[in-house]
Amino acid sequence: MLQFRPFSIDDEPLVSRFLAINNYRNCDFSFATIFCWQHQYHTSFAMADDFFFIRYICDDGLPCYMMPLGEGDLSLALNVILNDARENNYRFRIHAITLEMFQDIEKAVPNTFRFVENRDYYEYIYLSSDLINLSGKRFQDKRNHINRFRREYPNFEYKTITPELYPACLDLYYRWATDHRQRNPGEDLDGEEQSVLVAFEYFERLKFRGGSLWVDDQIVAFSYGAPVCDDTFVVHAEKAMHNIPGVFQMMNQQFVAHEATEFVYINREEDLGLESLRKAKLSYNPVRFLERGSVFLIEK
C-alpha cells in the first residue's frame, strides 16, 4: 500500500524534480500551487517504482489522484494507484487531466479509462507578448482602460514585491476581501485567504515573482505567480480595488512586462464557471485552452 504524507516546504526540490520530468503546462503541476492549497484539499504524496503520486480530497469530499509523475512505465504507475484505490475502497478517478495527458494514458493502457471534459476547469493560455503589447483592435478596450489609469494617476509606480512589501500586499488583500464579500454575500474565501497567507510566508522559497502598483504611496494592486514549465508562467493571484478605473488592466500588463518577459506563454488558470470571470478571461484573447477534465475507469 502506498504511504502518503503531507507536503513540506523542504520537499520542494524533490517535487520540482519530478514536475520537471513531465514539464506540464497546467497550474496544478506547480509546487507553489500544490503547497499553497494543500490545506484546502488535504493534498499528500507518495513514491514508488520511480514514480511520484499525488492524492487529494475533491470538493465533493471524496479522494482522487493526479497524473503520476515519472519516466518509467506509465501502465505500471496507473496500476499502483488503481490498487491503492481498491485497498482503500475509493472510487478511482484522476482529476486535473488534460487531453494530452489522457492520450498518454490511453497509449499506455488502451480502452481502460474514459475522459470527461469540464469546461469550467479549462485553463486560459495567452502569449506573453500579447499581454505586454496589447496590439491591434482585439485589445483596444484594454488600452483604453490603461490610458485612463495613466491619465488619472500619472504618478503611479510599479514595484517588484520584496519582503518589506509583504505586509502592504496582505493589507490590500484583506481590504479586497472585505469589498468582495460585500459584493458577493455567502462566497467562501477562507481557502483562498489561507493560500495567500502561505504564499507570502514562503514567497521566496516557492520561487514566486510578484509586482504591485502604487498611487500616492498607497498600494492599489498586486499580483504574483511562478513558472510552471520551461515556456509557461502561471499567474496565481491578482488583487486590486474595484473603485480604481483601469487598475486591473494596468496590473495585468505591468506584471507580465516586468516579471515574465522570458516566457512564451502566460497561464491565467481557470474561470470555475463564473460568468464574469469567464468574460474577463476571454476578453484577453487566449491563444489556446488547456482542456481539462477527469479520468474514470471504464466499467465492464
Side-chain angles (χ1 to χ4, degrees), residues 32-43 190-193 195-196 198 236 269:
T33 299
I34 295 168
F35 187 75
C36 287
W37 285 92
Q38 69 170 326
H39 62 278
Q40 178 83 351
Y41 299 106
H42 305 284
T43 315
D190 292 347
E192 181 190 75
E193 179 181 329
S195 76
V196 171
V198 172
H236 289 270
E269 301 186 341

Side-chain angles (χ1 to χ4, degrees), residues 151-163:
R151 286 194 306 269
E152 296 191 16
Y153 308 101
N155 297 321
F156 85 91
E157 185 178 2
Y158 177 91
K159 296 181 182 180
T160 293
I161 294 176
T162 49

Side-chain angles (χ1 to χ4, degrees), residues 5 9 13 28 53 58 70 72 97 117 139 149 175 177 180 193 215 218 221 230 255 287:
R5 68 172 178 84
I9 189 64
D28 301 280
F53 303 97
C58 300
I97 292 291
E117 291 185 8
F139 294 102
F149 182 91
R175 287 190 285 120
H180 188 82
E193 179 181 329
V215 173
Q218 295 292 319
D230 295 341
F255 179 58
V287 293

Side-chain angles (χ1 to χ4, degrees), residues 53-77:
F53 303 97
I54 301 172
R55 191 174 72 189
Y56 67 99
I57 304 301
C58 300
D59 292 334
D60 61 9
L62 300 174
C64 61
Y65 301 89
M66 291 175 62
M67 183 76 168
L69 300 170
E71 293 181 294
D73 187 335
L74 181 57
S75 65
L76 295 179

Side-chain angles (χ1 to χ4, degrees), residues 3-288:
Q3 299 298 313
F4 284 88
R5 68 172 178 84
F7 288 84
S8 159
I9 189 64
D10 295 325
D11 293 320
E12 188 276 327
L14 170 67
V15 181
S16 293
R17 178 168 64 84
F18 277 96
L19 292 171
I21 290 171
N22 299 94
N23 209 32
Y24 292 135
R25 190 171 282 133
N26 45 329
C27 70
D28 301 280
F29 291 87
S30 153
F31 181 78
T33 299
I34 295 168
F35 187 75
C36 287
W37 285 92
Q38 69 170 326
H39 62 278
Q40 178 83 351
Y41 299 106
H42 305 284
T43 315
S44 57
F45 75 92
M47 297 176 61
D49 301 322
D50 298 321
F51 268 91
F52 190 90
F53 303 97
I54 301 172
R55 191 174 72 189
Y56 67 99
I57 304 301
C58 300
D59 292 334
D60 61 9
L62 300 174
C64 61
Y65 301 89
M66 291 175 62
M67 183 76 168
L69 300 170
E71 293 181 294
D73 187 335
L74 181 57
S75 65
L76 295 179
L78 291 167
N79 193 55
V80 167
I81 51 177
L82 271 170
N83 286 334
D84 184 74
R86 292 190 183 107
E87 290 167 354
N88 289 284
N89 199 29
Y90 299 152
R91 180 195 181 196
F92 181 80
R93 53 187 178 167
I94 312 176
H95 282 344
I97 292 291
T98 63
L99 282 174
E100 290 85 352
M101 291 178 188
F102 181 66
Q103 289 167 0
D104 290 339
I105 291 172
E106 183 66 15
K107 182 178 179 180
V109 189
N111 305 315
T112 305
F113 301 97
R114 59 188 177 92
F115 178 62
V116 180
E117 291 185 8
N118 187 336
R119 173 64 180 84
D120 294 349
Y121 288 91
Y122 283 16
E123 291 183 1
Y124 290 73
I125 307 297
Y126 307 86
L127 288 174
S128 61
S129 56
D130 280 348
L131 299 186
I132 294 169
N133 300 319
L134 300 173
S135 301
K137 293 182 179 180
R138 296 180 303 153
F139 294 102
Q140 182 64 56
D141 181 62
K142 305 302 179 189
R143 296 198 302 274
N144 290 343
H145 283 292
I146 286 174
N147 290 336
R148 181 180 178 183
F149 182 91
R150 290 183 179 277
R151 286 194 306 269
E152 296 191 16
Y153 308 101
N155 297 321
F156 85 91
E157 185 178 2
Y158 177 91
K159 296 181 182 180
T160 293
I161 294 176
T162 49
E164 62 268 22
L165 298 185
Y166 296 169
C169 292
L170 288 172
D171 178 68
L172 175 60
Y173 176 78
Y174 285 117
R175 287 190 285 120
W176 171 87
T178 298
D179 178 70
H180 188 82
R181 286 188 173 103
Q182 291 173 351
R183 291 167 175 267
N184 305 273
E187 185 171 334
D188 184 5
L189 293 178
D190 292 347
E192 181 190 75
E193 179 181 329
Q194 183 63 28
S195 76
V196 171
L197 290 173
V198 172
F200 281 105
E201 181 178 358
Y202 297 101
F203 204 85
E204 292 179 310
R205 295 192 68 180
L206 291 171
K207 301 176 183 176
F208 277 131
R209 304 182 189 189
S212 56
L213 291 180
W214 296 70
V215 173
D216 298 329
D217 295 323
Q218 295 292 319
I219 187 171
V220 297
F222 72 82
S223 185
Y224 61 80
V228 68
C229 67
D230 295 341
D231 63 3
T232 304
F233 185 91
V234 175
V235 177
H236 289 270
E238 183 180 85
K239 302 300 179 185
M241 299 304 291
H242 285 277
N243 62 338
I244 301 176
V247 67
F248 281 99
Q249 291 82 5
M250 179 61 86
M251 185 71 257
N252 187 329
Q253 188 272 336
Q254 289 283 295
F255 179 58
V256 179
H258 283 86
E259 312 298 341
T261 54
E262 72 268 39
F263 297 93
V264 178
Y265 301 107
I266 304 297
N267 180 337
R268 289 185 59 85
E269 301 186 341
E270 65 275 271
D271 62 38
L272 300 174
L274 300 174
E275 184 178 351
S276 60
L277 191 55
R278 181 167 297 183
K279 182 178 179 181
K281 289 180 182 290
L282 288 172
S283 72
Y284 273 97
N285 302 293
V287 293
R288 66 164 295 189

